[in-house]
Every structure is written in C-alpha cells, then in structure tokens.
Amino acid sequence: MKIIGCAGRDDVAIVYLAEIADGKYVEFVESVQPPIPRENKWVLIVSTSLGCPVGCIMCDAGGWYKGPLSKDEILAQIDYLIKKRYPTGNVPVKKFKIQFARMGEPSFNENVLAVLEEIPSLYNAPGIMPCISTIAPKGCERFFERLLEIKNEYYFNGRFQMQFSIHTTDHDLRDRIIPIKKWDFDEIAEYCEVFYQRGDRKITLNFAPASEWPIDAGTLLEHFDPDKFLIKLTPLNPTVSVI
C-alpha cells in the first residue's frame, strides 16, 4: 500500500489517501476527541469497498463503485495507522475504536467478518472496540448472524459498538435518503433484541441531521428501548453532495 497524500491536523483528525493496488485508491482516517488525549481515546475509520453501491444522497462515495476490498486490503489500512503510532503493535489506548464506516457498506463485504476475527491476534490492544456502522440492507442476514457470533466470542462485555445509520424517522424520506431495500425499524429492533446482552454498550441509532429530515422522539420510542439504544447526531461536512 502506497500513501498518496493526507490532510488534516494531528490533534483532531487526519484523512489518508492510499493506492492499495494498481489504480485502486482508498481513504481512511485517524482521529482524536479534544481535549481527550490519544492515550485515552483513539479512533480509526477504515473503508470496506472501493466506493459504495448504496448511493446515500449525502455521501460522495456513492458516485462510483469498484467492488469490495479483500481482508488484506482492509487490514492494511488498520496496520498502517497502528504501526505509524505504535510500531511494535502494542496499543496502550484505553478506548481504541476501529470503525468500519469510511467508504462502503460493511455488511456487503464478508471480508469484514474475517478482519474482526483476526484483529485480536495481530495486536496487543486491551482497549480495542470495533464498530460496525450499517444501514442494515435486506439480504445481508447471514452477515449479521455471523457478526453476532463474533461479537459474543471476541468482543463481549462492552467491547463492541453496533451502529445503525437511519437519518430520519420519516419512512418515505428514509427510502429517498438511503435508496436500497433495508430493514425497517421493527426488523432492526428485533435483531438487536438478540444482539444486545447485559454488559454490552448501548446500540447507536445514527442521524445525520438536516432541517428537512424529521427526527420524531415518539416514533423512536415506539420501536427502540432507551435502555438498549442511544441517539447519535453526526454533523454533515461540506462535500460535493452536501453543499
């Protein structure tokens, strides 16, 4: 993997552009949360595909799609960022989050599951916490079933973060924002009844809020137990799709 360029600030976030093979380019990110020092919280955000086939209206990655990344291509992003800071592979970070959320819908790529199985044997990172950020596409049930098994085997007792990006409680608008077939709120809640175990982190319902995208608390309460779910608001940064 060859780093083509990077941009950002070391005390906030740095975005990297890399060529992982001839003509294949990928983005990944490392970030901190000021004023929290890196040794307390460090976040890596990696891509799982070349572009994305979904085409969410606020995401530039949906403009092109060249297929899923291999296990080694995903691991190369993680390994570069870890070895850049911690060459020995010992990561003394209390909350070390690896988020599969840059380019690509992770449930479309079963190599993500292989990466999750392999990471614990590659690094000495007691604070590791993977995060899957998904729109919950229909047809990916086998991925989510295996993800549950991996979480229970390797990342139990609060060492995994599950995030569903839903963006609005208006069902018709949600279909326009995320223009593929996906689980409805009842299907997400049903899966999470099995996924969530005592000691786990609450499951995140992620919204990229916009003034015309309603978020109705009553609708959320009809489907999601506040004892098991939390709400996250993710600001939309200016991009080609969001201006």
Side-chain angles (χ1 to χ4, degrees):
M1 185 176 71
K2 179 182 178 182
I3 301 299
I4 303 299
C6 62
R9 287 172 40 185
D10 196 59
D11 61 339
V12 181
I14 301 177
V15 179
Y16 297 87
L17 176 64
E19 186 175 23
I20 56 174
D22 187 28
K24 296 173 68 175
Y25 299 93
V26 69
E27 282 187 0
F28 50 95
V29 180
E30 63 166 325
S31 69
V32 294
Q33 183 181 330
I36 301 173
R38 191 182 312 276
E39 58 267 25
N40 287 349
K41 184 177 181 181
W42 187 38
V43 180
L44 312 186
I45 308 172
V46 300
S47 294
T48 58
S49 68
L50 299 171
C52 182
V54 177
C56 296
I57 63 174
M58 67 293 202
C59 179
D60 286 351
W64 60 282
Y65 177 62
K66 301 296 183 182
L69 295 175
S70 70
K71 181 191 75 170
D72 289 342
E73 289 168 340
I74 298 171
L75 282 172
Q77 302 169 63
I78 297 170
D79 196 64
Y80 174 82
L81 294 172
I82 289 178
K83 296 297 177 61
K84 179 174 179 285
R85 301 281 180 184
Y86 305 103
T88 64
N90 294 309
V91 186
V93 178
K94 292 180 180 178
K95 183 186 289 187
F96 173 36
K97 187 173 175 181
I98 301 177
Q99 189 166 0
F100 298 83
R102 188 63 181 177
M103 292 196 304
E105 163 54 49
S107 67
F108 285 153
N109 187 352
E110 293 199 358
N111 292 323
V112 171
L113 301 173
V115 170
L116 288 170
E117 290 180 290
E118 193 161 328
I119 283 175
S121 66
L122 296 178
Y123 309 104
N124 178 24
I128 196 166
M129 182 190 301
C131 172
I132 292 290
S133 181
T134 180
I135 59 168
K138 283 186 179 291
C140 295
E141 286 73 21
R142 187 174 72 171
F143 177 96
F144 291 109
E145 289 169 3
R146 182 60 187 141
L147 178 64
L148 171 60
E149 295 172 352
I150 291 171
K151 187 268 288 187
N152 288 339
E153 182 174 355
Y154 296 99
Y155 304 105
F156 49 87
N157 287 338
R159 298 178 58 233
F160 193 93
Q161 184 176 44
M162 190 68 189
Q163 176 172 296
F164 292 91
S165 292
I166 57 179
H167 303 311
T168 180
T169 52
D170 183 311
H171 296 290
D172 292 336
L173 179 58
R174 180 170 173 248
D175 283 341
R176 295 200 296 272
I177 296 170
I178 308 169
I180 65 166
K181 292 182 179 180
K182 54 200 165 294
W183 290 354
D184 61 25
F185 292 170
D186 285 334
E187 289 171 307
I188 293 173
E190 182 180 358
Y191 173 76
C192 292
E193 279 296 316
V194 180
F195 189 90
Y196 181 87
Q197 301 292 323
R198 184 182 297 273
D200 284 352
R201 294 176 63 83
K202 287 186 178 183
I203 295 163
T204 300
L205 302 175
N206 182 48
F207 295 84
S211 58
E212 66 275 19
W213 296 359
I215 304 172
D216 180 70
T219 300
L220 293 173
L221 287 169
E222 289 177 10
H223 300 276
F224 304 111
D225 182 352
D227 290 333
K228 299 177 182 178
F229 293 87
L230 61 83
I231 305 300
K232 176 183 176 183
L233 303 180
T234 302
L236 286 171
N237 296 315
T239 65
V240 173
S241 300
V242 180
I243 56 174

